[in-house]
């Protein structure tokens, strides 16, 4: 039986990982693709968004799996391993697999799990794709929201002068087989040239940088590296190579907001922006039940930048409901609910 080639897609919150995977699924060229999503929060926004791809797969509920119990690199043993074993039971029905890590996950511990006997004979890491937010980099940030960058700082036992977010970015680049520079349609040619020149100084000489807007890139560019990354980790150094564990900021949490009645999309977006100005909200994502519209609206926000689009009609078998996830620091569900309840 063949080994399933697995592509690991890593990058910070809001960099564009889900948008990339959605485009890949919609243009899969007949490949039978399974996706593992390391969702942050109980409401499966990313997974549901991927399942809504009309052309991605005949059995999206079987082939798109969400891991919701925390950062994937911290739950490799408890959650990733049994989920992976279940997928491997039907590997003859799959051509490849994608794993979307959370914005806080280290890529290397996940790749190391592919050395375990329970996985090694059934799957191999075909390649690691690191998605970089070009718009954020152009403004001197590693992530879109500067407050998020500051909030995720932690003391490192080996490199105290560096922040964990910087170390994580370096680890993502060090593990990459390809860097996808996203949101390049939002920056100038001069900014793009400077970013590419800087990234090249951070990467192994063999790692290429590919630009991308709205996740639109051929699957042939992202798949088929045949890198067997798990056998080549020595050349991909990590700041955490000598640490048994790594800790994340426990004050970072997610809050879910649900509303059954239809809403005015403009009023809702304005209220959310007002919330972002008051609260330490780093990311907003979800679905909106817009009044007098037959289509479901997808809403995504990073910092003060919001995007929306209608992805598909509401199904007769589902409840028309606004479902949003807010990710930030010490968020209070009651305050968010009070601010957003009256948006009809």
């Amino acid at each position: 039986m063949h080994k399933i080639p697995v592509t690991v897609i890593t990058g910070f919150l809001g960099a564009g990982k889900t948008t990339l995977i959605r485009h890949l699924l919609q243009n899969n060229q007949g490949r039978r693709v399974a996706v593992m999503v390391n969702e942050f929060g109980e409401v499966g926004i990313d997974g549901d968004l991927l399942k809504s791809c009309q052309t991605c797969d005949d059995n999206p509920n079987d082939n798109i799996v969400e891991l919701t119990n925390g950062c994937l690199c911290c739950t490799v043993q408890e959650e990733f391993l049994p989920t992976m074993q279940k997928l491997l039971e039907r590997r003859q029905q799959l051509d490849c697999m994608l794993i979307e890590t959370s914005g806080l996950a280290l890529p290397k511990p996940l790749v190391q799990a592919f050395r375990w006997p329970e996985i090694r004979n059934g799957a191999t890491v075909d390649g690691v794709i690191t998605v970089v937010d070009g718009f954020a980099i152009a403004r001197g940030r590693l992530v879109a929201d500067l407050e998020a960058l500051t909030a995720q700082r932690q003391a490192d036992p080996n490199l105290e002068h560096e922040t964990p977010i910087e170390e994580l970015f370096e680890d993502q680049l060090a593990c990459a087989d390809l860097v996808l520079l996203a949101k390049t349609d939002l920056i100038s040619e001069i900014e793009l040239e400077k970013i590419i020149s800087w990234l090249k100084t951070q990467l192994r000489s063999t790692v290429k940088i590919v630009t991308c807007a709205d996740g639109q890139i051929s699957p042939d560019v992202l798949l088929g590296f045949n890198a067997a990354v798990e056998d080549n980790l020595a050349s991909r150094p990590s700041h955490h190579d000598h640490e048994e564990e790594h800790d994340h900021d426990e004050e970072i949490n997610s809050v879910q907001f649900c509303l059954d009645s239809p809403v005015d999309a403009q009023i809702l977006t304005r209220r959310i922006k007002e919330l972002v100005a008051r609260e330490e909200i780093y990311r907003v994502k979800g679905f909106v039940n817009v009044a007098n519209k037959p289509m479901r609206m997808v809403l995504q926000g990073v910092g003060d930048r919001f995007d929306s689009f209608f992805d598909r009609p509401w199904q007769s078998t589902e409840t028309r409901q606004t479902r949003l996830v807010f990710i930030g620091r010490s968020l209070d569900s009651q305050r968010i609910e009070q601010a957003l309840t009256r948006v009809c």
Side-chain angles (χ1 to χ4, degrees):
M1 295 178 68
H2 72 288
K3 286 188 178 184
I4 297 178
V6 179
T7 300
V8 176
I9 300 178
T10 186
F12 289 129
L13 285 170
K17 301 188 298 296
T18 303
T19 300
L20 173 69
I21 294 176
R22 181 176 170 82
H23 182 268
L24 191 153
L25 291 178
Q26 291 175 324
N27 299 273
N28 60 22
Q29 300 173 354
R31 297 179 178 91
R32 298 170 298 175
V33 185
V35 182
M36 192 180 298
V37 182
N38 188 198
E39 181 70 83
F40 195 117
E42 296 176 0
V43 177
I45 300 300
D46 289 352
D48 200 358
L49 184 58
L50 294 176
K51 289 175 185 177
S52 71
C53 297
Q54 297 299 306
T55 60
C56 68
D57 197 272
D58 292 333
N59 301 294
N61 291 323
D62 295 330
N63 283 1
I64 297 177
V65 182
E66 296 170 87
L67 306 182
T68 61
N69 292 330
C71 172
L72 189 56
C73 65
C74 295
T75 58
V76 169
Q77 181 72 41
E78 298 85 358
E79 189 168 26
F80 170 73
L81 176 58
T83 303
M84 192 68 183
Q85 287 177 305
K86 189 174 181 179
L87 285 170
L88 288 178
E89 290 176 358
R90 52 190 187 88
R91 67 178 184 265
Q92 285 190 319
Q93 303 169 28
L94 301 173
D95 295 315
C96 60
M97 184 185 303
L98 308 174
I99 298 180
E100 177 190 346
T101 69
S102 77
L104 295 176
L106 293 164
K108 197 166 181 178
L110 173 61
V111 175
Q112 287 172 329
F114 284 80
R115 293 176 171 178
W116 296 350
E118 300 93 334
I119 298 177
R120 185 175 183 86
N121 293 329
T124 180
V125 181
D126 181 76
V128 177
I129 309 296
T130 296
V131 183
V132 175
D133 187 335
F135 181 77
I137 297 292
R139 277 137 190 82
R141 308 169 183 174
L142 298 182
V143 291
D145 192 325
L146 187 57
E147 290 184 357
L149 179 79
T150 303
Q152 295 184 54
R153 291 178 182 269
Q154 301 173 4
D156 182 82
N158 298 320
L159 297 168
E160 296 181 358
H161 62 286
E162 293 187 351
T163 64
I165 203 76
E166 293 169 345
E167 292 177 2
L168 177 51
F169 186 67
E170 291 173 0
D171 280 9
Q172 290 174 352
L173 294 180
C175 203
D177 293 283
L178 179 76
V179 169
L180 194 66
L181 186 57
K183 304 181 183 178
T184 53
D185 55 321
L186 302 178
I187 61 179
S188 68
E189 287 293 330
I190 294 177
E191 289 173 322
L192 178 60
E193 291 177 5
K194 289 182 179 179
I195 293 170
I196 291 176
S197 296
W198 174 71
L199 283 173
K200 285 181 177 179
T201 67
Q202 310 296 310
L203 296 167
R204 305 189 309 278
S205 59
T206 56
V207 178
K208 304 301 182 184
I209 302 168
V210 178
T211 60
C212 176
D214 295 324
Q216 297 187 20
I217 188 168
S218 169
D220 293 333
V221 177
L222 304 178
L223 307 176
F225 282 84
N226 299 314
V229 181
E230 68 274 12
D231 295 329
N232 187 30
L233 285 175
S235 64
R236 304 168 192 243
S238 165
H239 287 288
H240 300 265
D241 282 343
H242 304 294
E243 298 177 18
E244 293 184 1
E245 298 179 354
H246 65 281
D247 297 321
H248 292 159
D249 193 330
E250 295 181 355
E251 293 183 0
I252 296 178
N253 67 323
S254 64
V255 167
Q256 291 81 40
F257 171 77
C258 296
L259 188 65
D260 291 329
S261 56
V263 304
D264 183 307
Q266 291 184 338
I267 295 176
L268 175 64
T269 303
R270 185 171 69 247
R271 294 273 178 87
I272 293 175
K273 288 183 177 181
E274 292 170 356
L275 257 179
V276 169
R278 298 196 305 267
E279 306 276 351
E280 270 199 270
I281 296 172
Y282 310 144
R283 183 83 193 278
V284 182
K285 54 185 177 179
F287 307 111
V288 180
N289 176 19
V290 181
N292 302 315
K293 293 288 186 180
M295 303 281 286
R296 184 178 72 172
M297 191 179 89
V298 177
L299 179 66
Q300 302 179 91
V302 180
D304 60 356
R305 191 174 75 249
F306 285 79
D307 298 308
S308 64
F309 61 92
F310 291 94
D311 71 326
R312 64 165 174 79
W314 289 100
Q315 305 299 317
S316 59
T317 56
E318 67 182 333
T319 302
R320 288 189 57 145
Q321 184 184 59
T322 294
R323 293 187 296 132
L324 300 172
V325 172
F326 295 81
I327 301 172
R329 176 184 287 276
S330 302
L331 300 183
D332 182 274
S333 59
Q334 188 173 1
R335 287 202 305 269
I336 290 177
E337 184 172 350
Q338 289 175 347
L340 298 182
T341 297
R342 296 181 181 178
V343 291
C344 300

